[in-house]
Amino acid sequence: MEAYKQEFVDFMLDSKVLKFGDFTLKSGRKSPFFMNAGLYITGTQLMKLGEYYAKAIHNTYGDDFDVIFGPAYKGIPISVATTIAYSKLYGKEVRYCSNRKEAKDHGDVGILLGSPIKDGDRIVVVEDVTTSGKSMEETIPIVKAQGDVTIVGLMVSLNRCERGKGTKTALEEVKELYGFETSAIVSMDEIIDYLVEKNVIDEELKARLDAYYAEYGVK
């Protein structure tokens, strides 16, 4: 696993964004781990988060894109932080854009925040995590309605490596449904291997994780 991925795992733990315990997900699944990107709250944390996203996007999709789009709500600070970091790390000015949950009818009217999207734009979408693909069902029509654009790919913090609505992971389902690439800064498989090696995950927790993936993992 690349050094920046190992650093990102440590960063998630230090920020208490990634936790192990007993959690009930929106899907109703009982999970031994949980990630909450809403806990990145300081300037330093957001600066580092943007840099990890920028590195992952650069390594995965290269530089041929114009806009970083973050779906409301958690995608908004991620898109802003990543846009700033991309300029700092790679000297390329890209624009940020997000959506409002409800269109504004006065002042800066419309459903978008940040940059307008225009014909010919190439867009990378950023999210915290995708578990069911539901947010993409709302996001992709909004982006596509803005013009003749190309969605280069989706980048999330964490690939949970479990089934979405069917037998594939949520990221695989998004790719199959919409036809663009999907990726994550790090996968749960990589996290488990790394933290077992560091003795952060003990035998009892490893057994619970194994049982969870035996039930919900992708075969």
Side-chain angles (χ1 to χ4, degrees):
M1 185 166 68
E2 296 95 325
Y4 82 90
K5 290 189 175 188
Q6 296 178 359
E7 293 169 6
F8 183 62
V9 176
D10 293 333
F11 171 61
M12 285 195 290
L13 291 174
D14 292 343
S15 302
K16 301 188 181 345
V17 166
L18 177 63
K19 297 181 180 180
F20 296 96
D22 295 296
F23 305 95
T24 300
L25 307 180
K26 285 183 180 180
S27 63
R29 295 176 184 177
K30 305 292 185 179
S31 173
F33 67 94
F34 185 70
M35 194 205 84
N36 180 8
L39 295 178
Y40 294 120
I41 54 175
T42 71
T44 299
Q45 287 173 334
L46 289 169
M47 179 180 66
K48 289 184 177 179
L49 180 65
E51 290 176 354
Y52 288 120
Y53 267 91
K55 289 176 182 177
I57 289 170
H58 185 265
N59 289 352
T60 307
Y61 301 126
D63 279 331
D64 188 16
F65 66 96
D66 310 289
V67 178
I68 294 176
F69 187 96
Y73 288 104
K74 289 182 180 177
I76 296 175
I78 294 173
S79 64
V80 173
T82 304
T83 301
I84 295 169
Y86 213 90
S87 174
K88 174 186 173 183
L89 293 177
Y90 303 110
K92 179 179 173 66
E93 294 289 8
V94 295
R95 296 149 24 224
Y96 102 89
C97 183
S98 298
N99 64 296
R100 295 182 170 96
K101 285 292 187 179
E102 296 179 357
K104 189 177 177 184
D105 60 5
H106 62 281
D108 182 17
V109 299
I111 199 168
L112 298 183
L113 294 167
S115 171
I117 296 175
K118 60 182 186 299
D119 287 351
D121 277 341
R122 294 173 59 79
I123 299 166
V124 173
V125 181
V126 292
E127 250 200 326
D128 56 343
V129 66
T130 298
T131 52
S132 68
K134 181 174 174 55
S135 64
M136 289 297 100
E137 294 176 8
E138 301 170 354
T139 299
I140 301 309
I142 292 172
V143 173
K144 290 287 191 181
Q146 306 307 311
D148 182 13
V149 302
T150 299
I151 299 178
V152 175
L154 166 68
M155 181 63 68
V156 301
S157 290
L158 175 65
N159 180 356
R160 287 184 61 97
C161 299
E162 62 190 78
R163 298 194 308 274
K165 295 178 179 178
T167 60
K168 299 179 179 179
T169 68
L171 287 179
E172 289 172 329
E173 289 175 348
V174 168
K175 178 180 178 179
E176 189 174 85
L177 182 60
Y178 297 108
F180 54 77
E181 295 298 317
T182 59
S183 188
I185 299 175
V186 70
S187 71
M188 201 60 205
D189 289 342
E190 291 172 318
I191 290 175
I192 292 171
D193 289 344
Y194 175 60
L195 295 183
V196 166
E197 187 177 335
K198 288 187 66 177
N199 295 317
V200 174
I201 291 178
D202 58 22
E203 291 183 4
E204 186 272 337
L205 177 54
K206 180 63 164 59
R208 292 175 57 216
L209 288 162
D210 288 345
Y212 183 78
Y213 280 104
E215 184 170 2
Y216 298 116
V218 175
K219 305 300 182 183

